[in-house]
Amino acid sequence: MIRQLETMQPDKRQHIQTLMQLGEGRDAFPDTQRDIIQRSWHRCLEEYQLDPSRPRPVRVLTQQALRDHQEAADELLHVARAGVERLYSQIAQHGYALILTDQRGIAMDFRGQRDQLSELRRAGLYLGSDWNERYAGTSAVGTCLHDGEAVTCHQREHFDATHIDLTCTAAPITDPQGRVIAALDISALKSPRPQESQTFALSLVTLHARMIEDAYFLHRYRDCLILRFDTAREFVHLNGRGLLAIQEDGKVIAANHEGRHLIDTHLERWPPWMVSTLPAVTQLFDGELNELLSIPNASLDQIRAFRLRADDAIVFVTLIEPRGYPVQAHPTVSRQDDPVPELDQLAGDDPSMHRLLKLARRMRHENVSILIRGETGTGKEVLARALHDSGPRAKAPFVAVNCAAIPESLIESELFGYLPGAFTGGRPKGMRGLIQQADGGTLFLDEIGDMPLALQSRLLRVLAEREVSPLGAEMPIKVNIRVITATHRDVMELIASGQFREDLYYRLNGAELLLPALRERADRHYLIRKLHAELQAERDQTLHLRADAISALLSHHWPGNIRQLRNAIAFAMATAEGDEITLHDLPDVCQANTGSVRWAASPLATSSSPACRSSSNTASPALSWAEAGTEASELLELLRHTDWNVSQVARQLGVSRPTIYRRMRRHGLVAPNHQPLAS
């Protein structure tokens, strides 16, 4: 053995000596060695009793034995072929070979360069080679199959000294029950010394292993209903990450890797009564079974958003039906609610809005008071009006009162009205209060949290007795009203601080509707299209909304919610040139996160100078150019250089003409032919 070691290459001899010292307990694992490799080396030495001083020759199965393995995995090999070809086309030019093994580590499929075949065969990177960890020792395939996770085994991380020139990366392929059935591996005969050089290889192999796994899943359950989901709507049909095979009653039959992760996350939060119990699909997604089964008819793209019960995240779901499945006949699908246009148009497929509108449908015919909560600009008054317009009081008045906008000294008279001579300065004939004006219809009290305490007591009596007493009146007047209130404030905090009556809160809160912020909604694209269409109709103007503008609108945070979004689109329509709205037509705040390199590179784009921050949007034409600051000087220099050609300056800076005009006004820059005679 000593003579054999002496004839070996120095690096292989050193590798064997390191392993032998570890086996004899005379040394410890290197601190830099990864845990997964340490565990494998330990198995090779202790469990498999492999002798590191006796490198093993490559073991290759006979043709008949190989055919037996291939026939046993025929279905997987058929499905995996496209993924194998795609992966190899991406790695071949970099000197990698590819093998697909079964769960025992036998290479059932192989791709490699023809001029390297002899060398690849000697290294074991060929059809029929055995990479089982019990025989070949630590390797990407063997360790991946044992631990069930993707791994790179780089050069001296291999146990057998025969393989220490190789770098190998493998990822497991699992069946729909989560059992490892194969490994996908790419290997190179030579590579850079650092293990980090294979980071991209690990990501690439893992991606293609998941693609093969999902294709196998879809093939195995091609006769079942399959729910496909992803966090991005655009990827659902193309490459949705999650797959769940279900029965018509909603029972989950099987899941792919992402689907099993969802189930595991759900079971961590809500453990089942029985160990063998899988959650139904309606337990995973916050929705009813009929909503899931009717997805093919739900929208043009056949996708619907749902909220996950496990972590409240929003995912987009489509339903894959088997060929010949009776689309129109869903025995478990209950009849859909009749359409209510006034409410239906308020949202697309956002789960929170869907749940809210479902409750609103039920409450529109009831006479209970409703409290609408939500941030400023989320559409509280729009929802209140939709409730009114879709209910039995639609033909009666809808009276809206903003409690925060009316001065405290006037709000009592505005709400309750007054008789002639009730107080000095009043109308000679008196005035019917807003509560009386809403008789027979709906009284909407916006920002109810800002109502003075004294008036809260009077409002409580109105709600309790259904009568109102105008200022100066001796007898109350009966009123028939439905009260809807709204606030952006935390009413319970107001109650705790003594600013709001608790008994009034429970009178107003017969039902509570919580409007989500725009940044939390999954139907932002729907809202952008809807608001754009409404504004075009109002202005009798046709402008195409270009993709870059839509992307900027979708990515903005929108602290002002729908109101701010509407204003942004209206601004773009007012400043756009031609027949389309582009990114540069949007307000500057919407362009801040778009990462425009050309504009960000210009000092003019940063608006960081004191002159820019403090200047007005409508600077006086008499402002001296010299006083406008550095930013204005640079813009002035460009304008002079182009003979005040605004279009040319806009092209140079990569912005729109309206943006240049806005900055000219900000700094008081006026073209010579437009300056007043006095200047």
Side-chain angles (χ1 to χ4, degrees):
M1 183 184 70
I2 296 175
R3 185 176 303 171
Q4 185 179 6
L5 286 174
E6 290 176 348
T7 61
M8 283 186 177
Q9 296 174 0
D11 56 343
K12 292 183 179 180
R13 186 166 61 247
Q14 182 182 356
H15 180 72
I16 290 173
Q17 290 173 345
T18 299
L19 287 169
M20 292 177 66
Q21 290 173 359
L22 285 171
E24 295 169 0
R26 290 190 289 121
D27 205 347
F29 287 105
D31 293 337
T32 56
Q33 196 173 60
R34 293 172 296 149
D35 289 344
I36 191 170
I37 301 299
Q38 288 187 20
R39 292 195 302 269
S40 178
W41 278 17
H42 181 76
R43 287 193 297 271
C44 293
L45 292 167
E46 302 295 331
E47 184 179 344
Y48 311 145
Q49 296 291 307
L50 298 181
D51 186 351
S53 68
R54 299 179 181 273
R56 294 193 168 194
V58 172
R59 183 161 70 180
V60 180
L61 272 61
T62 64
Q63 288 294 321
Q64 182 57 50
L66 173 60
R67 280 195 293 271
D68 292 341
H69 280 264
Q70 290 174 328
E71 287 176 5
D74 179 67
E75 194 174 24
L76 173 63
L77 286 172
H78 172 73
V79 172
R81 187 168 291 112
V84 167
E85 293 286 357
R86 179 178 294 183
L87 174 58
Y88 184 66
S89 69
Q90 297 179 54
I91 63 171
Q93 60 184 326
H94 301 294
Y96 285 89
L98 179 152
I99 59 173
L100 176 67
T101 78
D102 63 8
Q103 73 274 21
R104 289 179 53 189
I106 305 300
M108 304 179 296
D109 200 354
F110 161 79
R111 299 288 189 280
Q113 297 284 13
R114 288 189 177 184
D115 59 353
Q116 291 184 323
L117 288 182
S118 297
E119 198 174 355
L120 290 171
R121 186 184 286 110
R122 286 195 298 271
L125 300 174
Y126 202 71
L127 276 175
S129 58
D130 184 354
W131 286 96
N132 191 292
E133 195 179 58
R134 288 183 175 275
Y135 178 81
T138 304
S139 68
V141 169
T143 306
C144 163
L145 291 171
H146 183 279
D147 285 15
E149 61 180 278
V151 61
T152 292
C153 191
H154 186 64
Q155 297 179 352
R156 294 183 184 180
E157 290 182 328
H158 289 87
F159 182 85
D160 197 301
T162 307
H163 304 139
I164 64 172
D165 291 329
L166 303 177
T167 182
C168 308
T169 299
I173 297 172
T174 61
D175 68 6
Q177 283 69 44
R179 297 171 298 210
V180 177
I181 57 173
L184 182 65
D185 172 271
I186 63 172
S187 298
L189 297 170
K190 301 291 181 182
S191 70
R193 176 63 66 185
Q195 189 266 333
E196 291 77 12
S197 65
Q198 303 304 305
T199 300
F200 183 69
L202 186 65
S203 300
L204 194 62
V205 174
T206 301
L207 172 64
H208 283 78
R210 291 284 174 267
M211 290 170 59
I212 294 172
E213 188 176 296
D214 290 352
Y216 184 63
F217 183 97
L218 292 169
H219 177 75
R220 286 288 301 273
Y221 292 95
R222 58 190 179 276
D223 296 325
C224 299
L225 293 168
I226 295 177
L227 290 173
R228 187 164 206 156
F229 62 91
D230 200 284
T231 53
R233 191 184 199 109
E234 295 79 8
F235 292 160
V236 176
H237 288 303
L238 181 65
N239 192 27
R241 293 184 300 172
L243 295 170
L244 296 170
I246 64 170
Q247 296 178 346
E248 285 194 359
D249 61 0
K251 182 180 179 181
V252 175
I253 305 170
N256 74 337
H257 181 269
E258 190 72 19
R260 292 192 300 273
H261 176 70
L262 169 60
I263 292 172
D264 291 342
T265 305
H266 179 89
L267 294 179
E268 285 179 8
R269 187 169 181 179
W270 291 290
W273 290 102
M274 298 172 58
V275 175
S276 60
T277 302
L278 280 178
V281 69
T282 50
Q283 293 175 274
L284 300 174
F285 300 101
D286 188 6
E288 298 180 3
L289 183 59
N290 67 303
E291 295 172 341
L292 289 160
L293 297 183
S294 63
I295 287 176
N297 304 317
S299 61
L300 292 176
D301 62 0
Q302 299 184 333
I303 297 173
R304 175 176 280 170
F306 288 89
R307 191 176 295 277
L308 297 177
R309 295 185 188 273
D311 56 9
D312 293 328
I314 291 178
V315 294
F316 299 91
V317 185
T318 191
L319 179 69
I320 303 173
E321 297 175 311
R323 185 176 299 177
Y325 186 78
V327 178
Q328 301 299 328
H330 291 293
T332 59
V333 178
S334 59
R335 183 180 62 83
Q336 295 291 309
D337 294 331
D338 294 331
V340 183
E342 297 85 356
L343 292 170
D344 294 342
Q345 66 176 345
L346 299 184
D349 62 353
D350 177 70
S352 298
M353 286 298 297
H354 182 69
R355 190 185 308 117
L356 179 148
L357 295 178
K358 193 172 183 179
L359 178 59
R361 283 170 176 268
R362 299 172 181 171
M363 302 306 301
R364 63 194 174 99
H365 292 300
E366 303 297 329
N367 202 36
V368 298
S369 299
I370 291 179
L371 173 63
I372 303 173
R373 290 200 302 114
E375 294 181 9
T376 299
T378 49
K380 297 186 286 293
E381 183 172 350
V382 174
L383 175 59
R385 188 173 289 276
L387 282 165
H388 171 82
D389 292 341
S390 62
R393 297 175 181 263
K395 295 182 180 179
F398 176 86
V399 178
V401 184
N402 189 328
C403 299
I406 303 176
E408 186 172 343
S409 58
L410 298 178
I411 190 170
E412 183 172 14
S413 60
E414 290 284 332
L415 275 178
F416 298 95
Y418 54 89
L419 297 183
F423 59 86
T424 303
R427 299 179 184 176
K429 295 183 179 180
M431 186 186 77
R432 291 177 71 230
L434 295 171
I435 296 176
Q436 271 187 272
Q437 293 177 34
D439 189 29
T442 300
L443 176 67
F444 173 61
L445 298 175
D446 197 8
E447 301 302 347
I448 188 67
D450 294 312
M451 177 176 281
L453 267 174
L455 261 69
Q456 293 178 26
S457 301
R458 294 199 61 184
L459 179 61
L460 181 62
R461 179 171 181 82
V462 172
L463 296 175
E465 307 296 336
R466 295 292 164 177
E467 58 185 28
V468 60
S469 298
L471 297 177
E474 296 181 358
M475 296 292 294
I477 301 171
K478 289 289 184 181
V479 288
N480 174 21
I481 57 172
R482 182 188 193 179
V483 177
I484 300 177
T485 53
T487 182
H488 71 282
R489 305 180 67 180
D490 188 330
V491 182
M492 297 309 295
E493 284 188 4
L494 295 176
I495 292 172
S497 62
Q499 299 176 64
F500 202 86
R501 292 182 60 115
E502 186 174 10
D503 48 1
L504 176 60
Y505 169 73
Y506 290 114
R507 280 282 185 183
L508 297 174
N509 191 7
E512 183 174 283
L513 301 178
L514 177 60
L515 277 169
L518 178 56
R519 61 184 173 275
E520 299 169 354
R521 291 178 59 165
D523 60 347
R524 293 189 296 276
H525 197 283
Y526 166 84
L527 290 171
I528 291 169
R529 293 291 189 188
K530 177 175 177 288
L531 292 172
H532 178 229
E534 289 176 356
L535 287 166
Q536 286 190 112
E538 288 178 11
R539 296 165 176 261
D540 193 21
Q541 186 179 12
T542 302
L543 284 174
H544 172 65
L545 197 57
R546 213 169 70 177
D548 60 345
I550 293 176
S551 296
L553 293 172
L554 287 171
S555 62
H556 191 58
H557 190 63
W558 300 117
N561 293 293
I562 298 175
R563 182 184 297 121
Q564 185 188 10
L565 171 61
R566 182 185 178 90
N567 290 341
I569 298 174
F571 173 90
M573 293 180 69
T575 59
E577 297 178 353
D579 58 357
E580 65 179 5
I581 296 172
T582 72
L583 165 67
H584 300 300
D585 295 318
L586 298 175
D588 291 347
V589 68
C590 299
Q591 302 180 36
N593 297 322
T594 58
S596 176
V597 177
R598 287 183 298 172
W599 180 248
S602 168
L604 299 175
T606 61
S607 299
S608 60
S609 67
C612 180
R613 288 196 299 267
S614 62
S615 61
S616 168
N617 288 336
T618 56
S620 168
L623 179 64
S624 168
W625 292 334
E627 296 172 353
T630 304
E631 184 180 33
S633 299
E634 293 176 353
L635 179 56
L636 174 59
E637 183 179 352
L638 281 172
L639 289 166
R640 283 176 169 171
H641 183 71
T642 58
D643 293 328
W644 293 85
N645 188 324
V646 173
S647 298
Q648 189 173 341
V649 172
R651 283 194 298 271
Q652 289 182 20
L653 293 177
V655 299
S656 65
R657 287 180 60 194
T659 299
I660 299 299
Y661 281 123
R662 287 198 302 273
R663 296 192 179 276
M664 288 173 63
R665 289 196 300 270
R666 177 181 301 167
H667 298 295
L669 303 180
V670 183
N673 60 337
H674 288 94
Q675 290 182 26
L677 292 177
S679 61

